[in-house]
Amino acid sequence: MSSNSTPLSAIVVTPPTKTPKAHTTTAPRHQTSLSEAVQIDCQKTPVLISGTNGRLIAGLMIEHAVRSGNLIFVSGWSLGNVRLAFTAEGREKLHTALHRFARTDVTDHFQLNPSTWQAPGFITVLFAPSKPNSSSEKIALAASRDTQPWHHQTIQIDTQPGALKTPLALLHRYLPELLLASSHDCDVIAFELATSLPPSPGECPYARGFIETAYSYSGSSVGALSGWAFGQSGIRIWIEDGDGGRWPLDTTRSTVTRYRRGDVAKAFADHFGHHADRSGVLAALPGVTSAGGAISIRASDGKSLYVLHEVTLAENVGDPVRTAQWLAGIPCDQEDYIPRVERTDWRVLGPLVSARQVRLSRLETRIWSFGTAPEDPHASIIVPLYARYDFVEHQLVEFARDDWLLGHAEVIYVIDDPRLITPLRATADELWRLYRVPFSLVWGGTNRGYSAANNLGASVACGKILVFLNSDVFPKTPGWLENLVQTLDRSPDFGAIAPRLVFADGGIQHAGMRFEYRSQFGVWINHHPFVGLASELDPTKILTDMPAITGACFVTRRTAFDTVGGFDTGYLIGDFEDSDLCLKLRVAGYRIGYEPRVELIHLERQSFKSIGDDTFRMRVVLYNASRHQMRWRHMLEQVPTSNRPE
């Protein structure tokens, strides 16, 4: 060993006549449980540096090292601005998380003034990937003082099955210190240790909790819980199920959202004061699979564990829309809503939406054809129908006047509402005989949602060009489709092109889309510029590249559509799927075009109005905006936009 700050002749390395008592540490369960943690042999005496006057300059003692899976938990003490670095056999330095704390046994032994010395105790977490084909591994310790090398040591890790097991009772001795650590990795260890304490009888003196609703969703490995819980400072609170799954309430990587509960704060103000203010709990519970099992809210101060409340998990069928309605009813401050949705709501809704799409893929598709469509259509018009079908006749009236459409396009109506099957089939033959526009009805077995309904229509379409059209969009003149298709055919660098859409009074509804950041919600939304202006005030006169276009009416090549996987089916009900598709096409190298020389009428969001009241519809928009933002934040910040966040 050497030191560059003091001559070698002046350094005296001596073990003390009485070494401070060793503490004991452990690591969290990552690949193995704490009961399987392996204790590692460490140095028996400290390494000390004293000056010529015999006064202590620096010291180091590695007391314990415990391995659990791919984590190594090292504890000990050091004095004199000592820095530690660990390396696994020839590999790069291991990532470490260090937490320091007072050690009165050390400062008392060396008769040090705690106010002039750095807190000597330390706990460090090492991330060392396991070596499955090796029975042992060496960790190299390099200690330095004032950035200069000072001490080296090798720690041998025995991974043989017969290695010494570390008693949990000894590991718990460090728990109170770990509960105060700011490091996430130390926090993980503290949580692991706190949850392994045996439950104590009686009411918890420093925390309260109550479960109001707890679901396990059938067909999906996720659960949800709502209620309230709070504790005094330094108390760890978590949710735990009967299978050993645990979800901490107050960590940065938790799937739990806390919110204000005025009723709870008022009820416990006399005994707990401000601790009960943000007591509301909304939790996504990934991994929950068994209904009928117990689930509880628990608390620990590092010495005792209490069960605050326990209930039985109720089974829920897992309908995404009904679950979204339940989530929307849980209060949340406006500025906290998007973080809550990203942190918790989508952790519940995402698996439910995915599970539903798997179920839908197994359903039978039925097709009814009326009239004979062109044998080899150049374009396929796909129109999803939900809530109402009276617009079909208005569209057929306009299609009947368009010779190019009749000769080069097929028309496909995708029924996405079981309530429409009987009345629509009853009138379909009459509509065919009256307007002589061949069309097909496609039924996918249930309501699939906007994206899945359009994807279903595309799967049975024969055209090289796919035309996605809302049922409330109507041509103003013949030739609209021919112009859009020919523009796309002449523009191979464009992946999708949309026309101008206007309201019934002639004001602009769609002239391309941009992305706008709404600071009041903290989320990017789809913005329609020039809405309400007269068409002649539209500054765009020719085909123009846009960040995105509306899904109400656009054309795309089947090859491009298939290349990006069609519409994403992970959104709720129907919103943001169009801009999502545009961003996928942009990533694939295509441009997105707005063609103002083609104009149609759009009554706008007629079917969307049927999904619920204004409050829930707004929540649906925010749900989908948050998912859109999570998927495309990097793109949203690059394409032309407005109101960019600071």
Side-chain angles (χ1 to χ4, degrees):
M1 67 192 72
S2 63
S3 172
N4 293 332
S5 59
T6 307
L8 283 173
S9 59
I11 298 178
V12 180
V13 181
T14 58
T17 56
K18 179 182 178 182
T19 57
K21 186 177 180 180
H23 282 220
T24 306
T25 57
T26 188
R29 181 181 62 200
H30 276 225
Q31 295 178 1
T32 60
S33 66
L34 281 171
S35 61
E36 299 170 328
V38 179
Q39 182 167 308
I40 305 162
D41 290 336
C42 300
Q43 66 191 79
K44 306 303 182 184
T45 58
V47 178
L48 305 174
I49 298 179
S50 297
T52 53
N53 58 1
R55 183 173 298 175
L56 182 66
I57 297 176
L60 171 65
M61 178 73 175
I62 304 295
E63 294 174 324
H64 290 90
V66 178
R67 179 164 189 164
S68 179
N70 64 335
L71 294 184
I72 299 173
F73 185 25
V74 180
S75 67
W77 54 265
S78 67
L79 297 166
N81 195 28
V82 174
R83 296 186 179 183
L84 307 177
F86 298 83
T87 308
E89 299 183 77
R91 296 199 290 271
E92 296 182 359
K93 287 184 179 180
L94 303 176
H95 170 69
T96 63
L98 184 69
H99 171 59
R100 284 195 172 273
F101 55 94
R103 284 283 298 266
T104 56
D105 56 336
V106 176
T107 53
D108 289 349
H109 175 81
F110 292 108
Q111 299 180 352
L112 304 175
N113 183 350
S115 63
T116 60
W117 288 79
Q118 182 185 37
F122 69 80
I123 305 166
T124 186
V125 184
L126 312 178
F127 293 79
S130 300
K131 298 179 66 179
N133 298 322
S134 175
S135 61
S136 65
E137 185 174 12
K138 294 179 180 179
I139 299 295
L141 161 66
S144 60
R145 283 189 65 247
D146 301 322
T147 71
Q148 299 299 321
W150 168 51
H151 171 72
H152 294 272
Q153 179 181 338
T154 299
I155 302 174
Q156 184 78 22
I157 304 172
D158 186 4
T159 59
Q160 290 288 355
L164 174 67
K165 304 297 182 183
T166 305
L168 284 176
L170 295 178
L171 305 181
H172 286 144
R173 294 179 61 181
Y174 264 140
L175 184 52
E177 292 295 342
L178 287 166
L179 287 171
L180 299 175
S182 58
S183 161
H184 168 74
D185 304 307
C186 290
D187 183 79
V188 170
I189 295 171
F191 178 64
E192 184 74 22
L193 285 172
T195 58
S196 65
L197 290 167
S200 300
E203 186 177 69
C204 177
Y206 45 70
R208 295 287 188 274
F210 187 81
I211 300 173
E212 295 169 331
T213 304
Y215 290 131
S216 172
Y217 293 100
S218 57
S220 179
S221 297
V222 68
L225 178 147
S226 66
W228 52 266
F230 63 88
Q232 296 175 353
S233 299
I235 303 306
R236 182 58 45 83
I237 305 177
W238 68 94
I239 300 166
E240 183 168 327
D241 70 1
D243 296 325
R246 302 184 184 106
W247 300 267
L249 262 60
D250 296 298
T251 65
T252 57
R253 301 185 187 183
S254 172
T255 59
V256 180
T257 294
R258 307 303 300 274
Y259 61 95
R260 294 183 182 88
R261 284 288 298 259
D263 55 338
V264 177
K266 182 178 179 180
F268 292 96
D270 292 343
H271 298 287
F272 290 92
H274 71 278
H275 295 295
D277 288 347
R278 290 184 66 85
S279 56
V281 174
L282 176 62
L285 309 176
V288 168
T289 57
S290 56
I295 191 161
S296 59
I297 296 179
R298 303 186 174 207
S300 173
D301 63 349
K303 300 176 182 178
S304 303
L305 182 151
Y306 292 89
V307 178
L308 304 181
H309 191 218
E310 184 171 277
V311 300
T312 299
L313 273 167
E315 186 171 15
N316 190 298
V317 294
D319 177 78
V321 175
R322 291 183 180 178
T323 302
Q325 291 171 335
W326 170 66
L327 291 169
I330 296 174
C332 184
D333 293 338
Q334 179 172 287
E335 65 272 17
D336 297 331
Y337 189 66
I338 291 299
R340 188 196 96 173
V341 170
E342 295 182 355
R343 180 185 181 96
T344 303
D345 293 37
W346 268 114
R347 303 291 180 91
V348 177
L349 293 173
L352 300 187
V353 172
S354 297
R356 185 174 186 273
Q357 295 304 325
V358 171
R359 295 194 299 270
L360 295 182
S361 67
R362 302 175 183 144
L363 297 179
E364 179 185 3
T365 299
R366 301 189 64 183
I367 302 175
W368 300 279
S369 296
F370 301 87
T372 303
E375 184 175 346
D376 186 20
H378 189 57
S380 297
I381 303 173
I382 299 166
V383 185
L385 300 175
Y386 178 79
R388 57 190 300 180
Y389 69 94
D390 52 309
F391 291 141
V392 170
E393 183 170 10
H394 296 284
Q395 286 186 332
L396 294 177
V397 168
E398 301 301 329
F399 294 168
R401 299 191 295 125
D402 195 320
D403 291 338
W404 190 93
L405 185 153
L406 293 173
H408 298 85
E410 63 175 347
V411 179
I412 300 171
Y413 286 102
V414 181
I415 304 175
D416 200 39
D417 186 336
R419 298 169 297 180
L420 304 184
I421 297 176
T422 299
L424 188 53
R425 288 194 62 196
T427 60
D429 188 64
E430 180 181 354
L431 291 173
W432 149 244
R433 287 187 283 103
L434 184 60
Y435 299 108
R436 312 305 292 180
V437 179
F439 65 92
S440 296
L441 299 179
V442 178
W443 167 238
T446 188
N447 168 237
R448 293 170 175 255
Y450 174 84
S451 290
N454 274 320
N455 287 345
L456 178 63
S459 71
V460 301
C462 299
K464 300 178 182 65
I465 302 296
L466 301 178
V467 185
F468 293 99
L469 188 71
N470 281 9
S471 63
D472 58 355
V473 174
F474 310 106
K476 294 179 67 176
T477 59
W480 65 277
L481 181 58
E482 180 182 11
N483 289 335
L484 286 176
V485 169
Q486 289 182 353
T487 300
L488 185 65
D489 286 341
R490 292 193 302 263
S491 311
D493 53 336
F494 281 85
I497 296 174
R500 177 192 293 145
L501 299 180
V502 298
F503 296 111
D505 63 3
I508 293 175
Q509 185 271 318
H510 170 262
M513 285 199 304
R514 297 183 182 275
F515 303 114
E516 182 176 273
Y517 186 78
R518 292 292 178 89
S519 57
Q520 69 268 40
F521 297 112
V523 70
W524 295 87
I525 66 162
N526 295 342
H527 173 64
H528 289 261
F530 315 119
V531 169
L533 293 180
S535 297
E536 55 268 23
L537 298 180
D538 185 352
T540 307
K541 305 302 181 184
I542 60 174
L543 177 65
T544 302
D545 194 2
M546 283 284 176
I549 53 176
T550 181
C553 178
F554 74 95
V555 295
T556 184
R557 297 179 190 81
R558 171 178 289 281
T559 53
F561 186 79
D562 291 344
T563 295
V564 300
F567 284 100
D568 183 273
T569 58
Y571 291 91
L572 185 66
I573 298 179
D575 218 4
F576 288 85
E577 295 100 327
D578 46 9
S579 54
D580 186 283
L581 179 66
C582 290
L583 290 169
K584 289 197 295 184
L585 288 169
R586 290 175 67 91
V587 170
Y590 292 102
R591 299 167 67 189
I592 304 299
Y594 162 55
E595 175 52 84
R597 291 168 293 188
V598 179
E599 187 174 284
L600 290 83
I601 296 173
H602 184 200
L603 301 185
E604 192 184 27
R605 301 171 78 84
Q606 294 299 309
S607 60
F608 189 68
K609 295 178 181 179
S610 66
I611 69 170
D613 59 23
D614 291 343
T615 300
F616 180 60
R617 290 200 297 269
M618 183 61 183
R619 289 291 173 94
V620 169
V621 171
L622 292 177
Y623 279 142
N624 288 324
S626 69
R627 185 177 188 274
H628 189 260
Q629 177 171 274
M630 288 187 287
R631 284 169 56 83
W632 299 108
R633 192 186 305 267
H634 63 293
M635 292 284 289
L636 298 176
E637 295 174 352
Q638 294 175 7
V639 297
T641 186
S642 59
N643 294 349
R644 194 176 299 275
E646 297 296 331

